[in-house]
Amino acid sequence: MDDEVLLEKLLVGDQDAFRALVSRYHSSLVRVARYHVDSDAAAEDVAQDTWVAVLRGVHKFEGRSSFKTWLFKILVNRSRTAGSRDRKQVPVDTAFAEPTVEQSRFDAGGAWTDPPTPLDDLVSAHLDDALVVRAIRDAVRELPEPQQAVVTLRDVEGLSTYEVSALLGLTEGNVRVILHRGRAKVRAALEGVARGGLP
Amino acid sequence: MSVLTRDVTCREAVELVTDYLEGSLSTRERRRFEHHLARCDGCEGYLAQVRAVVAATGAVGPEDLDPATLQGLVALFEQYKGDS
Ligand SMILES: [Zn+2]
């Protein structure tokens, strides 16, 4: 069911609609909150506060942005007022980027010696497979900040790079650099599954 | 061939994939990247991998919520409903 349909139901106090929205977004909210506050418990609190703000404000939601964008904006505002640490601009070194693919896979001239294993079959035919789902979610969960927040917003939730940059207070260029590093790790994890073979 | 027009290596090409997908390479960089891709199965495969990973990450979605957390939030909802 669409977010917008669930919102309509939420407006009339439908508990199932609330359950559905919470099930859909709460873990991502906690992930992104964790970027702004300095403990898991504080992140959980901020995510909870966000739902309270949603319940209070749902009748004022005008649908000018998507519900998802509105929701994450509330989260970021709550994080900032929740007495979170002063988030220093994360230094993102764009000039010297560490390689994102194991260097042993290239020869001295920089050409592949151990080329990529195709993943199309894995993700098209086995996306319901618990092992594949687990591999992706674990890989995202194990990303360091700010990669985790960026990959969650951009790839898990599908927000635009512009939206992610606004939510996290990063330049779009930095979002792309961080995204590049985060995605590379998820890619490596999935390739590991493909090479190990599915049970 | 000058430095500016030399082909990128595979090692360099893999680091351009995100900017390529995001449409943020300069015209010249994009041309060099595509020129390499057209002749390199490995890098074409790498780009396909990253595309597959992005699609799969979105399709799989966030972690499942544990039942205790869900119950706590539903309780919050009921309490809020009671208050309003
Ligand atoms: Zn190549």
mmCIF file of all heavy atoms in Angstrom, chain A residues 23-56:
data_model
loop_
_atom_site.group_PDB
_atom_site.id
_atom_site.type_symbol
_atom_site.label_atom_id
_atom_site.label_comp_id
_atom_site.label_asym_id
_atom_site.label_seq_id
_atom_site.Cartn_x
_atom_site.Cartn_y
_atom_site.Cartn_z
ATOM 1 N N SER A 23 6.781 -0.175 10.411
ATOM 2 C CA SER A 23 7.536 -1.344 9.944
ATOM 3 C C SER A 23 8.381 -0.985 8.725
ATOM 4 O O SER A 23 9.482 -1.474 8.542
ATOM 5 C CB SER A 23 6.602 -2.496 9.576
ATOM 6 O OG SER A 23 5.786 -2.814 10.673
ATOM 7 N N ARG A 24 7.850 -0.103 7.920
ATOM 8 C CA ARG A 24 8.540 0.271 6.698
ATOM 9 C C ARG A 24 9.739 1.180 6.969
ATOM 10 O O ARG A 24 10.758 1.080 6.308
ATOM 11 C CB ARG A 24 7.542 0.989 5.774
ATOM 12 C CG ARG A 24 8.004 1.156 4.348
ATOM 13 C CD ARG A 24 6.883 1.713 3.469
ATOM 14 N NE ARG A 24 5.830 0.734 3.220
ATOM 15 C CZ ARG A 24 4.696 1.016 2.551
ATOM 16 N NH1 ARG A 24 4.490 2.237 2.078
ATOM 17 N NH2 ARG A 24 3.787 0.093 2.345
ATOM 18 N N TYR A 25 9.606 2.082 7.930
ATOM 19 C CA TYR A 25 10.626 3.145 8.042
ATOM 20 C C TYR A 25 11.449 3.200 9.320
ATOM 21 O O TYR A 25 12.480 3.864 9.352
ATOM 22 C CB TYR A 25 9.952 4.519 7.852
ATOM 23 C CG TYR A 25 9.517 4.749 6.438
ATOM 24 C CD1 TYR A 25 8.173 4.942 6.129
ATOM 25 C CD2 TYR A 25 10.443 4.747 5.405
ATOM 26 C CE1 TYR A 25 7.757 5.139 4.814
ATOM 27 C CE2 TYR A 25 10.045 4.937 4.094
ATOM 28 C CZ TYR A 25 8.706 5.136 3.807
ATOM 29 O OH TYR A 25 8.310 5.323 2.512
ATOM 30 N N HIS A 26 10.973 2.547 10.388
ATOM 31 C CA HIS A 26 11.649 2.790 11.668
ATOM 32 C C HIS A 26 13.139 2.446 11.644
ATOM 33 O O HIS A 26 13.963 3.217 12.133
ATOM 34 C CB HIS A 26 10.944 2.047 12.803
ATOM 35 C CG HIS A 26 11.449 2.421 14.164
ATOM 36 N ND1 HIS A 26 11.162 3.643 14.744
ATOM 37 C CD2 HIS A 26 12.254 1.764 15.038
ATOM 38 C CE1 HIS A 26 11.752 3.707 15.934
ATOM 39 N NE2 HIS A 26 12.423 2.585 16.129
ATOM 40 N N SER A 27 13.492 1.296 11.069
ATOM 41 C CA SER A 27 14.932 0.941 11.105
ATOM 42 C C SER A 27 15.786 1.922 10.325
ATOM 43 O O SER A 27 16.911 2.223 10.730
ATOM 44 C CB SER A 27 15.227 -0.489 10.631
ATOM 45 O OG SER A 27 14.101 -1.168 10.260
ATOM 46 N N SER A 28 15.266 2.419 9.217
ATOM 47 C CA SER A 28 16.048 3.421 8.477
ATOM 48 C C SER A 28 16.157 4.726 9.270
ATOM 49 O O SER A 28 17.194 5.394 9.231
ATOM 50 C CB SER A 28 15.421 3.701 7.108
ATOM 51 O OG SER A 28 15.603 2.595 6.250
ATOM 52 N N LEU A 29 15.078 5.077 9.974
ATOM 53 C CA LEU A 29 15.137 6.287 10.802
ATOM 54 C C LEU A 29 16.237 6.160 11.855
ATOM 55 O O LEU A 29 17.022 7.090 12.070
ATOM 56 C CB LEU A 29 13.788 6.537 11.498
ATOM 57 C CG LEU A 29 12.609 6.976 10.631
ATOM 58 C CD1 LEU A 29 11.334 7.067 11.473
ATOM 59 C CD2 LEU A 29 12.876 8.318 9.953
ATOM 60 N N VAL A 30 16.287 5.002 12.492
ATOM 61 C CA VAL A 30 17.307 4.795 13.530
ATOM 62 C C VAL A 30 18.705 4.894 12.924
ATOM 63 O O VAL A 30 19.607 5.533 13.482
ATOM 64 C CB VAL A 30 17.104 3.433 14.242
ATOM 65 C CG1 VAL A 30 18.248 3.148 15.218
ATOM 66 C CG2 VAL A 30 15.763 3.400 14.974
ATOM 67 N N ARG A 31 18.882 4.279 11.763
ATOM 68 C CA ARG A 31 20.170 4.339 11.064
ATOM 69 C C ARG A 31 20.618 5.768 10.821
ATOM 70 O O ARG A 31 21.756 6.141 11.051
ATOM 71 C CB ARG A 31 20.060 3.715 9.675
ATOM 72 C CG ARG A 31 19.953 2.281 9.616
ATOM 73 C CD ARG A 31 21.350 1.667 9.679
ATOM 74 N NE ARG A 31 21.194 0.248 9.883
ATOM 75 C CZ ARG A 31 20.769 -0.577 8.938
ATOM 76 N NH1 ARG A 31 20.507 -0.140 7.738
ATOM 77 N NH2 ARG A 31 20.620 -1.840 9.191
ATOM 78 N N VAL A 32 19.692 6.552 10.290
ATOM 79 C CA VAL A 32 20.055 7.919 9.922
ATOM 80 C C VAL A 32 20.238 8.776 11.177
ATOM 81 O O VAL A 32 21.131 9.621 11.241
ATOM 82 C CB VAL A 32 19.028 8.514 8.947
ATOM 83 C CG1 VAL A 32 19.330 9.968 8.642
ATOM 84 C CG2 VAL A 32 19.007 7.694 7.659
ATOM 85 N N ALA A 33 19.423 8.522 12.197
ATOM 86 C CA ALA A 33 19.565 9.262 13.452
ATOM 87 C C ALA A 33 20.940 9.013 14.067
ATOM 88 O O ALA A 33 21.562 9.910 14.634
ATOM 89 C CB ALA A 33 18.475 8.850 14.444
ATOM 90 N N ARG A 34 21.421 7.790 13.891
ATOM 91 C CA ARG A 34 22.712 7.408 14.463
ATOM 92 C C ARG A 34 23.857 8.258 13.921
ATOM 93 O O ARG A 34 24.892 8.408 14.556
ATOM 94 C CB ARG A 34 22.943 5.921 14.194
ATOM 95 C CG ARG A 34 24.083 5.302 14.944
ATOM 96 C CD ARG A 34 23.808 5.293 16.441
ATOM 97 N NE ARG A 34 24.974 4.773 17.170
ATOM 98 C CZ ARG A 34 26.071 5.488 17.426
ATOM 99 N NH1 ARG A 34 26.155 6.733 17.025
ATOM 100 N NH2 ARG A 34 27.070 4.960 18.075
ATOM 101 N N TYR A 35 23.632 8.809 12.735
ATOM 102 C CA TYR A 35 24.633 9.706 12.160
ATOM 103 C C TYR A 35 24.703 11.010 12.943
ATOM 104 O O TYR A 35 25.750 11.621 13.053
ATOM 105 C CB TYR A 35 24.289 9.978 10.692
ATOM 106 C CG TYR A 35 25.088 11.078 10.047
ATOM 107 C CD1 TYR A 35 26.412 10.887 9.693
ATOM 108 C CD2 TYR A 35 24.510 12.324 9.797
ATOM 109 C CE1 TYR A 35 27.151 11.896 9.103
ATOM 110 C CE2 TYR A 35 25.239 13.342 9.206
ATOM 111 C CZ TYR A 35 26.554 13.129 8.871
ATOM 112 O OH TYR A 35 27.281 14.121 8.288
ATOM 113 N N HIS A 36 23.567 11.417 13.489
ATOM 114 C CA HIS A 36 23.506 12.715 14.167
ATOM 115 C C HIS A 36 23.737 12.641 15.671
ATOM 116 O O HIS A 36 24.144 13.620 16.270
ATOM 117 C CB HIS A 36 22.139 13.371 13.931
ATOM 118 C CG HIS A 36 21.922 13.804 12.512
ATOM 119 N ND1 HIS A 36 22.402 14.985 12.014
ATOM 120 C CD2 HIS A 36 21.280 13.213 11.481
ATOM 121 C CE1 HIS A 36 22.066 15.119 10.747
ATOM 122 N NE2 HIS A 36 21.382 14.040 10.400
ATOM 123 N N VAL A 37 23.403 11.540 16.308
ATOM 124 C CA VAL A 37 23.561 11.447 17.763
ATOM 125 C C VAL A 37 24.592 10.378 18.087
ATOM 126 O O VAL A 37 24.940 9.562 17.236
ATOM 127 C CB VAL A 37 22.215 11.136 18.467
ATOM 128 C CG1 VAL A 37 21.204 12.231 18.189
ATOM 129 C CG2 VAL A 37 21.677 9.775 18.042
ATOM 130 N N ASP A 38 25.068 10.400 19.351
ATOM 131 C CA ASP A 38 26.259 9.578 19.573
ATOM 132 C C ASP A 38 26.028 8.238 20.275
ATOM 133 O O ASP A 38 26.971 7.629 20.754
ATOM 134 C CB ASP A 38 27.348 10.396 20.274
ATOM 135 C CG ASP A 38 26.823 11.056 21.532
ATOM 136 O OD1 ASP A 38 25.736 10.644 21.997
ATOM 137 O OD2 ASP A 38 27.480 11.980 22.037
ATOM 138 N N SER A 39 24.771 7.775 20.367
ATOM 139 C CA SER A 39 24.587 6.413 20.880
ATOM 140 C C SER A 39 23.368 5.770 20.222
ATOM 141 O O SER A 39 22.492 6.467 19.701
ATOM 142 C CB SER A 39 24.397 6.423 22.403
ATOM 143 O OG SER A 39 23.104 6.921 22.728
ATOM 144 N N ASP A 40 23.337 4.429 20.264
ATOM 145 C CA ASP A 40 22.195 3.707 19.691
ATOM 146 C C ASP A 40 20.910 4.070 20.429
ATOM 147 O O ASP A 40 19.851 4.204 19.827
ATOM 148 C CB ASP A 40 22.425 2.194 19.780
ATOM 149 C CG ASP A 40 23.560 1.745 18.869
ATOM 150 O OD1 ASP A 40 23.896 2.491 17.923
ATOM 151 O OD2 ASP A 40 24.114 0.658 19.112
ATOM 152 N N ALA A 41 21.020 4.216 21.761
ATOM 153 C CA ALA A 41 19.833 4.524 22.561
ATOM 154 C C ALA A 41 19.277 5.895 22.179
ATOM 155 O O ALA A 41 18.066 6.071 22.034
ATOM 156 C CB ALA A 41 20.174 4.476 24.048
ATOM 157 N N ALA A 42 20.175 6.857 22.004
ATOM 158 C CA ALA A 42 19.735 8.203 21.621
ATOM 159 C C ALA A 42 19.093 8.173 20.233
ATOM 160 O O ALA A 42 18.104 8.872 19.982
ATOM 161 C CB ALA A 42 20.916 9.175 21.652
ATOM 162 N N ALA A 43 19.649 7.359 19.348
ATOM 163 C CA ALA A 43 19.092 7.254 17.988
ATOM 164 C C ALA A 43 17.680 6.666 18.034
ATOM 165 O O ALA A 43 16.766 7.138 17.341
ATOM 166 C CB ALA A 43 20.000 6.398 17.107
ATOM 167 N N GLU A 44 17.499 5.658 18.856
ATOM 168 C CA GLU A 44 16.177 5.043 19.025
ATOM 169 C C GLU A 44 15.175 6.077 19.575
ATOM 170 O O GLU A 44 14.048 6.175 19.097
ATOM 171 C CB GLU A 44 16.312 3.837 19.962
ATOM 172 C CG GLU A 44 15.075 2.981 20.113
ATOM 173 C CD GLU A 44 14.660 2.265 18.823
ATOM 174 O OE1 GLU A 44 15.530 1.681 18.135
ATOM 175 O OE2 GLU A 44 13.461 2.325 18.500
ATOM 176 N N ASP A 45 15.616 6.880 20.546
ATOM 177 C CA ASP A 45 14.758 7.922 21.120
ATOM 178 C C ASP A 45 14.346 8.944 20.068
ATOM 179 O O ASP A 45 13.182 9.346 20.008
ATOM 180 C CB ASP A 45 15.491 8.669 22.248
ATOM 181 C CG ASP A 45 15.564 7.827 23.518
ATOM 182 O OD1 ASP A 45 14.872 6.777 23.566
ATOM 183 O OD2 ASP A 45 16.317 8.209 24.431
ATOM 184 N N VAL A 46 15.311 9.369 19.276
ATOM 185 C CA VAL A 46 15.017 10.368 18.240
ATOM 186 C C VAL A 46 14.018 9.798 17.229
ATOM 187 O O VAL A 46 13.084 10.484 16.797
ATOM 188 C CB VAL A 46 16.318 10.832 17.533
ATOM 189 C CG1 VAL A 46 15.996 11.636 16.291
ATOM 190 C CG2 VAL A 46 17.171 11.661 18.483
ATOM 191 N N ALA A 47 14.201 8.532 16.870
ATOM 192 C CA ALA A 47 13.277 7.910 15.915
ATOM 193 C C ALA A 47 11.870 7.835 16.515
ATOM 194 O O ALA A 47 10.871 8.101 15.829
ATOM 195 C CB ALA A 47 13.783 6.527 15.528
ATOM 196 N N GLN A 48 11.785 7.509 17.799
ATOM 197 C CA GLN A 48 10.476 7.489 18.476
ATOM 198 C C GLN A 48 9.837 8.865 18.499
ATOM 199 O O GLN A 48 8.650 9.011 18.195
ATOM 200 C CB GLN A 48 10.652 7.024 19.922
ATOM 201 C CG GLN A 48 10.611 5.523 20.071
ATOM 202 C CD GLN A 48 10.260 5.121 21.501
ATOM 203 O OE1 GLN A 48 9.673 5.912 22.261
ATOM 204 N NE2 GLN A 48 10.613 3.902 21.874
ATOM 205 N N ASP A 49 10.642 9.875 18.863
ATOM 206 C CA ASP A 49 10.153 11.261 18.866
ATOM 207 C C ASP A 49 9.608 11.639 17.496
ATOM 208 O O ASP A 49 8.655 12.404 17.386
ATOM 209 C CB ASP A 49 11.294 12.244 19.176
ATOM 210 C CG ASP A 49 11.669 12.231 20.644
ATOM 211 O OD1 ASP A 49 10.965 11.569 21.421
ATOM 212 O OD2 ASP A 49 12.680 12.888 20.981
ATOM 213 N N THR A 50 10.272 11.123 16.467
ATOM 214 C CA THR A 50 9.851 11.428 15.100
ATOM 215 C C THR A 50 8.440 10.909 14.849
ATOM 216 O O THR A 50 7.610 11.608 14.266
ATOM 217 C CB THR A 50 10.852 10.825 14.094
ATOM 218 O OG1 THR A 50 12.139 11.391 14.348
ATOM 219 C CG2 THR A 50 10.443 11.108 12.655
ATOM 220 N N TRP A 51 8.152 9.706 15.337
ATOM 221 C CA TRP A 51 6.795 9.156 15.142
ATOM 222 C C TRP A 51 5.752 9.979 15.908
ATOM 223 O O TRP A 51 4.645 10.184 15.435
ATOM 224 C CB TRP A 51 6.748 7.681 15.541
ATOM 225 C CG TRP A 51 7.495 6.826 14.564
ATOM 226 C CD1 TRP A 51 8.656 6.135 14.787
ATOM 227 C CD2 TRP A 51 7.172 6.619 13.178
ATOM 228 N NE1 TRP A 51 9.070 5.506 13.637
ATOM 229 C CE2 TRP A 51 8.182 5.785 12.640
ATOM 230 C CE3 TRP A 51 6.146 7.059 12.342
ATOM 231 C CZ2 TRP A 51 8.183 5.377 11.300
ATOM 232 C CZ3 TRP A 51 6.146 6.648 11.011
ATOM 233 C CH2 TRP A 51 7.156 5.814 10.506
ATOM 234 N N VAL A 52 6.143 10.441 17.088
ATOM 235 C CA VAL A 52 5.211 11.294 17.838
ATOM 236 C C VAL A 52 4.935 12.567 17.039
ATOM 237 O O VAL A 52 3.782 13.000 16.902
ATOM 238 C CB VAL A 52 5.776 11.636 19.243
ATOM 239 C CG1 VAL A 52 4.901 12.661 19.946
ATOM 240 C CG2 VAL A 52 5.902 10.366 20.084
ATOM 241 N N ALA A 53 6.002 13.147 16.479
ATOM 242 C CA ALA A 53 5.833 14.358 15.668
ATOM 243 C C ALA A 53 4.979 14.076 14.437
ATOM 244 O O ALA A 53 4.183 14.920 14.014
ATOM 245 C CB ALA A 53 7.202 14.915 15.265
ATOM 246 N N VAL A 54 5.130 12.886 13.871
ATOM 247 C CA VAL A 54 4.305 12.511 12.720
ATOM 248 C C VAL A 54 2.838 12.450 13.140
ATOM 249 O O VAL A 54 1.956 12.995 12.471
ATOM 250 C CB VAL A 54 4.755 11.147 12.130
ATOM 251 C CG1 VAL A 54 3.705 10.582 11.176
ATOM 252 C CG2 VAL A 54 6.095 11.299 11.417
ATOM 253 N N LEU A 55 2.571 11.813 14.282
ATOM 254 C CA LEU A 55 1.182 11.709 14.757
ATOM 255 C C LEU A 55 0.590 13.090 15.020
ATOM 256 O O LEU A 55 -0.560 13.354 14.712
ATOM 257 C CB LEU A 55 1.125 10.846 16.030
ATOM 258 C CG LEU A 55 1.440 9.357 15.806
ATOM 259 C CD1 LEU A 55 1.578 8.630 17.147
ATOM 260 C CD2 LEU A 55 0.359 8.699 14.945
ATOM 261 N N ARG A 56 1.412 13.967 15.580
ATOM 262 C CA ARG A 56 0.932 15.330 15.856
ATOM 263 C C ARG A 56 0.721 16.119 14.570
ATOM 264 O O ARG A 56 -0.164 16.965 14.503
ATOM 265 C CB ARG A 56 1.974 16.093 16.700
ATOM 266 C CG ARG A 56 2.110 15.562 18.084
ATOM 267 C CD ARG A 56 2.334 16.707 19.080
ATOM 268 N NE ARG A 56 2.281 16.161 20.431
ATOM 269 C CZ ARG A 56 3.353 15.827 21.150
ATOM 270 N NH1 ARG A 56 4.569 16.046 20.658
ATOM 271 N NH2 ARG A 56 3.228 15.308 22.341
#
